[in-house]
Amino acid sequence: MSARLDAPPAASVEPVRRSPPGLVAARVAAMCLVELQKLRHDRAELLTRAVQPALWLLIFGQVFTGLRAIPTGNVPYLDFLAPGILAQSALFIAIFYGIQIIWERDAGVLAKLLVTPTPRVALVTGKAFAAGVRALVQALVVLVLAALLGVGLTTNPVNMLAMGAVVVLGSAFFCCLSITIAGLVLSRDRLMGIGQAITMPLFFASNALYPVDLMPGWLKAVDYANPLGYEVDALRGLLIGTPAHLALDFGVLVVAAGVMIGIAAALLGRLAR
């Protein structure tokens, strides 16, 4: 009887605390805001990153439009190319985002973030959406250049908002892919090498430069598994009005980004060891 009286009641056991969704969302927004503050000191980098898509549109797009070597139906090749180059520029920004994570680890910032109450998923999601907003700034540069070259872009505000969502989702996926690779290789040099090795294959194994109908069977299979292909398909449908599978494109991008955020969050602690 005395043992029973001395035992603490079951109600005194403290339940496991879980962060409510609203708190997680607030922390995601805070992390995203911190990342976006860096844009004020990064304007020169954004301008230099705009050089490559400008060259694709000015040289590659203009030349192949005149040659008519790639059949795109009633759509001028430059119009067909512009959404693909927009997606490419977002990819190039996001795919090297893991280098920043490694830099934060070396500077001791990552270890301090991981001991805060902020969930790891919130940390990764904040960085993913910050990469998406960086990509939106880059996309604005590409859109302005495309408009100056005479590309027939939509002026529908709903389509433009949907375009922004597509760019953010695609960038979030590739940003978290980069963080995942960083969590596996743990080295800045290795991440740079892998990033450079997969960027161009991802680009060329998509419908960014040519229609899917022109691809051989094996390349079509790769394109169906490549999130960049769904991003380009959605951007073309929204920006220049070509037939697109918008529901499928959005669904694939949302699922792919969500899965990759979870994987990147699971590997984040490995970076800080």
Side-chain angles (χ1 to χ4, degrees):
M1 291 293 293
S2 61
R4 293 181 181 178
L5 292 174
D6 293 338
S12 66
V13 178
E14 187 175 345
V16 178
R17 294 181 179 178
R18 296 182 180 179
S19 300
L23 180 58
V24 173
R27 288 172 177 169
V28 168
M31 288 302 303
C32 187
L33 183 61
V34 170
E35 291 293 314
L36 294 180
Q37 294 297 325
K38 300 173 184 177
L39 278 175
R40 292 184 303 174
H41 309 287
D42 232 0
R43 295 172 186 173
E45 182 183 351
L46 288 173
L47 291 176
T48 55
R49 286 183 182 274
V51 172
Q52 188 170 7
L55 291 176
W56 276 98
L57 289 174
L58 287 170
I59 299 176
F60 191 88
Q62 296 276 13
V63 169
F64 275 78
T65 298
L67 290 176
R68 302 182 185 275
I70 300 177
T72 55
N74 297 325
V75 179
Y77 183 71
L78 187 61
D79 292 28
F80 179 88
L81 179 66
I85 299 305
L86 193 156
Q88 180 217 45
S89 64
L91 164 66
F92 284 7
I93 287 177
I95 199 66
F96 293 108
Y97 223 78
I99 296 175
Q100 181 180 342
I101 296 292
I102 296 179
W103 179 86
E104 290 180 352
R105 179 202 63 187
D106 296 341
V109 176
L110 183 59
K112 294 177 181 178
L113 289 174
L114 290 177
V115 298
T116 65
T118 305
R120 294 178 182 180
V121 171
L123 292 173
V124 173
T125 305
K127 291 184 178 296
F129 278 94
V133 176
R134 277 178 175 257
L136 281 178
V137 176
Q138 186 76 46
L140 181 61
V141 175
V142 176
L143 289 176
V144 170
L145 179 60
L148 292 175
L149 291 174
V151 175
L153 299 172
T154 182
T155 57
N156 187 325
V158 176
N159 284 20
M160 297 302 290
L161 288 174
M163 178 276 296
V166 170
V167 171
V168 169
L169 287 172
S171 300
F173 171 82
F174 289 112
C175 169
C176 293
L177 175 62
S178 180
I179 295 174
T180 298
I181 296 172
L184 293 173
V185 301
L186 305 176
S187 166
R188 195 177 312 174
D189 294 335
R190 291 178 183 175
L191 176 60
M192 281 288 295
I194 294 175
Q196 292 174 352
I198 67 174
T199 299
M200 295 311 291
L202 282 170
F203 177 53
F204 285 110
S206 72
N207 55 349
L209 297 177
Y210 28 71
V212 178
D213 296 338
L214 299 182
M215 298 180 181
W218 66 269
L219 191 55
K220 287 182 181 180
V222 175
D223 178 65
Y224 291 147
N226 185 359
L228 186 65
Y230 296 92
E231 182 179 355
V232 173
D233 184 67
L235 290 176
R236 280 207 183 99
L238 292 168
L239 291 176
I240 63 175
T242 57
H245 311 85
L246 291 179
L248 175 63
D249 296 334
F250 271 97
V252 169
L253 290 174
V254 168
V255 172
V259 170
M260 195 54 64
I261 286 172
I263 296 173
L267 290 173
L268 194 61
R270 190 170 184 267
L271 271 169
R273 292 175 186 171

